[in-house]
Amino acid sequence: PARARLFAAPRRAEGRCAMAWPPGDKLEVSRCKHDTVAPIVHGVYSLHGENHGRPVFKKESQVAGVEVLIYYWDTRDGELFCGWWFGPKVG
């Protein structure tokens, strides 16, 4: 799986989807071994906004003209969808 490295370490919190913030304004994703996914998700991401009370990060470079975001989705659609996601837009 891809690995996100925060430029400022977050404090630990309890719960499956919990993490204390702020983590800093940048993070770096690396170590994804999937041939297709790795070039899309690897890179440095900057703070871009907020979703469900957590920061949204945007990759500093586009991939084939498409933005890549990392965003948090809470439990409003069930535990299965709770967590951090990569995508071209939030949601």
Side-chain angles (χ1 to χ4, degrees), residues 3-48:
R3 176 181 173 197
R5 180 174 64 89
L6 303 174
F7 283 86
R11 298 176 307 269
R12 296 187 74 76
E14 297 299 318
R16 179 181 180 279
C17 294
M19 183 175 274
W21 293 100
D25 61 353
K26 291 185 184 264
L27 61 85
E28 181 179 10
V29 175
S30 62
R31 300 177 110 181
C32 176
K33 295 183 186 253
H34 191 280
D35 291 339
T36 303
V37 176
I40 297 169
V41 300
H42 282 179
V44 176
Y45 292 71
S46 297
L47 187 61
H48 180 67

Side-chain angles (χ1 to χ4, degrees), residues 16-17 29 41 45 51-52 55-57 68-75 77-91:
R16 179 181 180 279
C17 294
V29 175
V41 300
Y45 292 71
N51 187 63
H52 294 186
V56 172
F57 294 91
V68 182
L69 303 176
I70 299 174
Y71 63 92
Y72 179 81
W73 201 262
D74 65 16
T75 58
D77 293 322
E79 279 289 318
L80 183 64
F81 298 103
C82 180
W84 291 92
W85 296 85
F86 288 95
K89 63 180 183 174
V90 173

